[in-house]
Amino acid sequence: MRAAISVRFSTSKLCLPRNDRLTGSPSSTARRSFSSTPAALATWGFIGLGRMGLPMAQNLRAKIPGSDTLVVFDQNQEATRKFVEELGTAATGANGTAVEVANCSRDVAEKS
């Protein structure tokens, strides 16, 4: 026995399911818009600077704007120290530095 499946693709409209609770009214449509105002300073968090996390955190720091802050934490304080030294920044974070070292993973979650 074969089941017939019919699939139609519409190139003229983006078809989204209606959900009155999410959209507010059944006739509203989804719209995508971009802001023309500059982005606010952002704070990013990263936990774990081991074999895999260290290169990932370095890549993240390289890709985000220099004005953004990266908050990092690792159980191994030597790994954290190595990360901060490689970037050549102070670990205080209070005076606008690019990297801030958190005391625990909860601090990373709260600050980012």
Side-chain angles (χ1 to χ4, degrees):
M1 181 190 288
R2 288 186 179 172
I5 299 174
S6 175
V7 178
R8 284 191 291 163
F9 295 97
S10 173
T11 58
S12 62
K13 278 186 167 180
L14 176 63
C15 300
L16 298 173
R18 289 184 170 176
N19 187 337
D20 295 343
R21 290 177 291 172
L22 295 177
T23 60
S25 70
S27 64
S28 63
T29 58
R31 224 185 244 207
R32 187 172 186 174
S33 61
F34 296 95
S35 175
S36 61
T37 58
L41 298 177
T43 303
W44 303 76
F46 199 91
I47 299 171
L49 298 171
R51 284 186 186 190
M52 195 164 73
L54 180 63
M56 291 170 67
Q58 290 169 337
N59 187 40
L60 177 63
R61 180 64 260 174
K63 300 230 182 224
I64 62 176
S67 58
D68 291 357
T69 302
L70 177 62
V71 182
V72 296
F73 173 75
D74 193 279
Q75 291 282 32
N76 181 359
Q77 292 180 358
E78 180 65 26
T80 306
R81 185 190 59 73
K82 179 181 174 186
F83 177 69
V84 171
E85 283 180 1
E86 285 179 2
L87 291 177
T89 59
T92 59
N95 57 0
T97 58
V99 176
E100 180 177 343
V101 177
N103 295 326
C104 63
S105 57
R106 182 179 180 151
D107 286 346
V108 175
E110 290 174 352
K111 292 178 181 182
S112 59

